[in-house]
Short mmCIF file of all heavy atoms in Angstrom, two decimals:
data_model
loop_
_atom_site.label_atom_id
_atom_site.label_comp_id
_atom_site.label_asym_id
_atom_site.label_seq_id
_atom_site.Cartn_x
_atom_site.Cartn_y
_atom_site.Cartn_z
N ALA A 151 13.00 -0.64 -1.15
CA ALA A 151 13.95 -1.58 -1.62
C ALA A 151 15.31 -0.89 -1.94
O ALA A 151 16.39 -1.47 -1.71
CB ALA A 151 13.51 -2.34 -2.84
N LEU A 154 16.79 0.77 1.72
CA LEU A 154 17.18 -0.23 2.75
C LEU A 154 18.09 -1.36 2.16
O LEU A 154 18.85 -1.98 2.94
CB LEU A 154 15.96 -0.82 3.35
CG LEU A 154 14.99 0.13 4.04
CD1 LEU A 154 13.78 -0.62 4.56
CD2 LEU A 154 15.76 0.74 5.24
N ASN A 155 18.07 -1.60 0.80
CA ASN A 155 18.77 -2.73 0.29
C ASN A 155 19.63 -2.38 -0.89
O ASN A 155 20.40 -3.26 -1.41
CB ASN A 155 17.79 -3.83 -0.11
CG ASN A 155 17.02 -4.32 1.14
OD1 ASN A 155 17.48 -5.12 1.88
ND2 ASN A 155 15.78 -3.86 1.08
N GLY A 156 19.61 -1.22 -1.37
CA GLY A 156 20.44 -0.79 -2.54
C GLY A 156 19.98 -1.28 -3.85
O GLY A 156 20.76 -1.34 -4.81
N VAL A 157 18.69 -1.76 -4.04
CA VAL A 157 18.16 -2.33 -5.20
C VAL A 157 17.66 -1.19 -6.08
O VAL A 157 16.73 -0.43 -5.68
CB VAL A 157 17.09 -3.36 -4.97
CG1 VAL A 157 16.61 -3.99 -6.32
CG2 VAL A 157 17.57 -4.47 -4.05
N PRO A 158 18.13 -1.07 -7.34
CA PRO A 158 17.68 0.11 -8.14
C PRO A 158 16.43 -0.21 -8.90
O PRO A 158 16.02 -1.38 -9.11
CB PRO A 158 18.86 0.22 -9.18
CG PRO A 158 19.36 -1.12 -9.35
CD PRO A 158 19.23 -1.82 -8.02
N ARG A 200 14.05 -5.71 -10.77
CA ARG A 200 14.31 -6.97 -11.39
C ARG A 200 14.62 -8.16 -10.38
O ARG A 200 15.24 -7.88 -9.34
CB ARG A 200 15.61 -6.71 -12.25
CG ARG A 200 15.31 -5.86 -13.43
CD ARG A 200 16.48 -5.50 -14.25
NE ARG A 200 16.12 -4.60 -15.34
CZ ARG A 200 16.95 -3.94 -16.21
NH1 ARG A 200 18.19 -4.12 -15.97
NH2 ARG A 200 16.49 -3.24 -17.18
N GLU A 201 14.12 -9.29 -10.71
CA GLU A 201 14.14 -10.34 -9.75
C GLU A 201 15.57 -10.82 -9.42
O GLU A 201 15.84 -11.07 -8.21
CB GLU A 201 13.42 -11.61 -10.36
CG GLU A 201 13.24 -12.79 -9.40
CD GLU A 201 12.16 -13.74 -9.77
OE1 GLU A 201 11.35 -13.40 -10.66
OE2 GLU A 201 12.22 -14.87 -9.25
N ASP A 202 16.50 -10.88 -10.32
CA ASP A 202 17.88 -11.25 -9.99
C ASP A 202 18.50 -10.24 -8.97
O ASP A 202 19.25 -10.72 -8.08
CB ASP A 202 18.76 -11.35 -11.28
CG ASP A 202 18.83 -10.09 -12.05
OD1 ASP A 202 17.94 -9.26 -11.91
OD2 ASP A 202 19.77 -10.01 -12.85
N GLU A 203 18.22 -9.00 -9.11
CA GLU A 203 18.77 -7.94 -8.23
C GLU A 203 18.11 -8.08 -6.87
O GLU A 203 18.76 -7.82 -5.82
CB GLU A 203 18.60 -6.58 -8.84
CG GLU A 203 19.47 -6.39 -10.03
CD GLU A 203 19.25 -5.07 -10.73
OE1 GLU A 203 18.18 -4.44 -10.49
OE2 GLU A 203 20.06 -4.71 -11.58
N MET A 204 16.87 -8.39 -6.83
CA MET A 204 16.18 -8.64 -5.60
C MET A 204 16.74 -9.79 -4.84
O MET A 204 17.10 -9.67 -3.63
CB MET A 204 14.61 -8.89 -5.85
CG MET A 204 13.85 -7.71 -6.27
SD MET A 204 13.47 -6.70 -4.86
CE MET A 204 12.62 -5.38 -5.62
N ARG A 205 16.87 -10.87 -5.51
CA ARG A 205 17.49 -12.09 -4.85
C ARG A 205 18.91 -11.82 -4.42
O ARG A 205 19.33 -12.29 -3.30
CB ARG A 205 17.39 -13.26 -5.79
CG ARG A 205 15.93 -13.71 -6.12
CD ARG A 205 15.91 -14.98 -6.94
NE ARG A 205 14.54 -15.31 -7.31
CZ ARG A 205 13.62 -15.84 -6.55
NH1 ARG A 205 13.90 -16.09 -5.35
NH2 ARG A 205 12.42 -16.07 -7.05
N ALA A 206 19.68 -11.14 -5.17
CA ALA A 206 21.08 -10.86 -4.85
C ALA A 206 21.15 -10.03 -3.53
O ALA A 206 22.15 -10.12 -2.81
CB ALA A 206 21.82 -10.17 -6.01
N ALA A 207 20.09 -9.23 -3.28
CA ALA A 207 20.03 -8.36 -2.11
C ALA A 207 19.49 -9.22 -0.84
O ALA A 207 19.37 -8.53 0.22
CB ALA A 207 19.19 -7.13 -2.35
N GLY A 208 19.15 -10.46 -1.08
CA GLY A 208 18.61 -11.26 0.02
C GLY A 208 17.11 -11.15 0.22
O GLY A 208 16.57 -11.60 1.30
N LEU A 209 16.47 -10.56 -0.79
CA LEU A 209 14.94 -10.43 -0.72
C LEU A 209 14.33 -11.64 -1.32
O LEU A 209 14.86 -12.34 -2.24
CB LEU A 209 14.58 -9.21 -1.38
CG LEU A 209 15.22 -7.86 -0.92
CD1 LEU A 209 14.74 -6.72 -1.70
CD2 LEU A 209 15.11 -7.73 0.58
N LYS A 210 13.20 -12.06 -0.91
CA LYS A 210 12.43 -13.13 -1.33
C LYS A 210 11.21 -12.77 -2.26
O LYS A 210 10.31 -12.09 -1.76
CB LYS A 210 11.93 -13.99 -0.16
CG LYS A 210 11.21 -15.30 -0.67
CD LYS A 210 10.82 -16.12 0.62
CE LYS A 210 10.25 -17.42 0.33
NZ LYS A 210 9.89 -18.22 1.49
N GLU A 224 9.28 -10.11 -0.10
CA GLU A 224 9.50 -10.06 1.38
C GLU A 224 10.88 -9.67 1.69
O GLU A 224 11.88 -10.17 1.18
CB GLU A 224 9.10 -11.44 1.95
CG GLU A 224 9.25 -11.42 3.52
CD GLU A 224 8.93 -12.78 4.12
OE1 GLU A 224 8.76 -13.73 3.36
OE2 GLU A 224 8.83 -12.82 5.43
N ASP A 225 10.96 -8.71 2.61
CA ASP A 225 12.22 -8.22 3.13
C ASP A 225 12.23 -8.49 4.63
O ASP A 225 11.97 -7.72 5.48
CB ASP A 225 12.40 -6.71 2.86
CG ASP A 225 13.77 -6.19 3.37
OD1 ASP A 225 14.54 -6.93 3.97
OD2 ASP A 225 14.08 -4.97 3.09
N ALA A 227 14.56 -9.10 6.82
CA ALA A 227 15.56 -8.36 7.70
C ALA A 227 14.98 -7.04 8.12
O ALA A 227 15.39 -6.58 9.23
CB ALA A 227 16.81 -8.19 6.87
N HIS A 228 14.13 -6.45 7.33
CA HIS A 228 13.64 -5.13 7.73
C HIS A 228 12.12 -5.16 8.05
O HIS A 228 11.50 -4.22 8.16
CB HIS A 228 13.84 -4.14 6.58
CG HIS A 228 15.28 -3.82 6.29
ND1 HIS A 228 15.93 -4.41 5.25
CD2 HIS A 228 16.18 -3.05 6.97
CE1 HIS A 228 17.22 -4.00 5.25
NE2 HIS A 228 17.42 -3.25 6.31
#
Side-chain angles (χ1 to χ4, degrees):
L154 298 177
N155 302 281
V157 182
R200 294 178 179 168
E201 185 164 344
D202 58 340
E203 294 174 340
M204 288 283 177
R205 296 188 185 280
L209 306 179
K210 184 176 182 179
E224 181 180 7
D225 182 356
H228 295 102

